[in-house]
Amino acid sequence: MAKKPSATKPRPWPEMATHLVDVAMGRTPADLVIRNGRWVNVHSGEIIAGTDIAIAGGRFAYCGPNAGHAIGQGTKVVDAGGRYLVPGLCDAHMHVESGMVTVTEFCRAVIPHGTTSLFIDPHEIANVLGLPGVRLMHDEAVAMPVNVHVQMPSCVPSAPGLEHAGAELTVADVVEAMTWENIIGLGEVMNFPGVAANDPVMSGEIAATVRAGKTVGGHYASRDLGLPFHGYVAGGPEDDHEGTRAEDAIARVRQGMKAMLRLGSAWYDVASQIKAVTEGGIDPRNFILCTDDSHSGTLVHEGHMDRVVRHAIQQGLKPVTAIQMATLNTAQHFRLEREIGSIAPGRLADLLIVSDLAAMTIDEVYARGVRLAKGGKLEIDIPAYDYPRTAKNTVKLGKKLKADDFDIAAPKGANEVRVRVIGVIENQAPTRALEADLPVEDGLVAMDRRNDVCQIALVERHRGTGGVTNAFVSGFGYMGDCAMASSVAHDAHHIIVVGTNKQDMALAVNRLGEVGGGVVLFSSGKELALVEMPIAGLMSDERAEIVAAKAEKLTEAMRKMGCSLNNAYMQHSLLALVVIPELRISDVGLIDVTTFQKVDLFV
């Protein structure tokens, strides 16, 4: 039977210092001693063979050649057998909601993969439920047996005037959140034009964070490295994960920022940017690895930060350097170097026993001195977190959708029209602003499956207005009659539906209204796959393994409809993200994110 984790977090280092000294000196026995390991020392960049580690009260007390003096009658002794001793991995920037599961289930999924510290930005739930939603995830995070630090969302809505979210956060909300015990800083500041223009909300939130002595997260989703970029950096953001090129990473590091390189379920930005280190010789101390968005299928079947570290090593990084980017560099960035990020005296005893360093083969996972996983299996029970009724039933359509809600009337007398089309880019968050010539049938603009142009619509779901915004998208490759709808639609989280058949589009949207949110795929009137997400229309209340199985069924159904994109669901969910170029859809209309203006569908 799985054991329940200890509810107590280790006491602060100053309160334990004398006890740790006694253990290190051999005056008091350790709780746990791990012997004969290869110490991956991220401070010195060495791998030190024949190392013993002594742990007391959930913290490291002694790291050296022989901890025999710290072994007493009650000390548990583990023989590492020459395997590597690696600090617990940190994910520096991520959104739990993208995993389709709660904080609890996310932790259950990633602990066996060696992640012991998470830095989460719950701006998805904030866009639906506001500050109370952030508080829910904050409180759930505190209860975890690993370190789950919360960044206060900065941009809700992400682009004021270009979308309407379910809630709005203010400078006063940020000031309040900075007093909460587990808020580590300000979440990604996505309104980069606002920062460069000295928008008072953005400058006020950043100032409140800096005054609190906490870290300001960045999000500069533009290729323009001219004055707007310099203005953004001067405004205070300290990191950025939106780079896609080596020159992006170099520019950020030169300006004193941390370049966060992400490998999520659909974002593959490590390989191109790590060349700044492997080929350009840039100092790796200011590079950090993260995931940003990983859905449940990736977590269960492929891994989490172990997957990112493994990938970085495959791109030519030395294993110790890659591990530094997922441990010490992250801890230093968030001003937590004396708490996490390394195996060194006083730090929380978060440690991995690894048999193959380059492959990141993790045999055992310890957090706060307690073994939580072995052989890829969780050994503890983490009780489910009970979300209140107010966090559910958030999908309000206002009406039952019909096929004609997705009609797009052509200009009078036109037989053909030229339209703007959102172009999906595989494995990247940006889109392309494309154009296509489409036929007109009975006064309505028709789709063009042969040239991969199908319809996209955004359905308002927070206030029940019944509003529908229609446009076109390319890149999914759907060939059969089908439609996929999702109530996860970053960042305002209305419903996005993409389809080749209007009747299926209506059925898919209505189905999400019935189940309270999620993602669903219909074909010719039949439901092929459904992942229910009743918590804010963003997260499931089921186990991660169950959600992953449902997500895999969805992926397979999409493939059968002709979609060959890697992780197409992630691409689908970002089509309304009006802070990443080039073209997006919102409840306001079609948005050109290079000019931050609404544009007409017809060219």
Side-chain angles (χ1 to χ4, degrees), residues 11 94 178 194 220 246 255 273 276 281 309 399 434:
R11 288 181 294 144
M94 54 154 294
M178 289 301 148
Y220 184 78
Q255 296 293 321
Q273 293 187 90
V309 172
K399 67 178 183 180
L434 306 177

Side-chain angles (χ1 to χ4, degrees), residues 60-74:
F60 297 117
Y62 170 89
C63 308
N66 186 349
H69 62 285
I71 298 174
Q73 189 172 0

Side-chain angles (χ1 to χ4, degrees), residues 73-117:
Q73 189 172 0
T75 303
K76 181 178 180 180
V77 178
V78 173
D79 184 2
R83 291 174 293 175
Y84 299 92
L85 307 179
V86 177
L89 303 178
C90 309
D91 191 345
H93 173 74
M94 54 154 294
H95 308 284
V96 164
E97 303 97 317
S98 294
M100 306 178 177
V101 293
T102 61
V103 176
T104 300
E105 284 305 307
F106 201 100
C107 288
R108 285 187 69 257
V110 303
I111 288 171
H113 294 291
T115 303
T116 59
S117 294

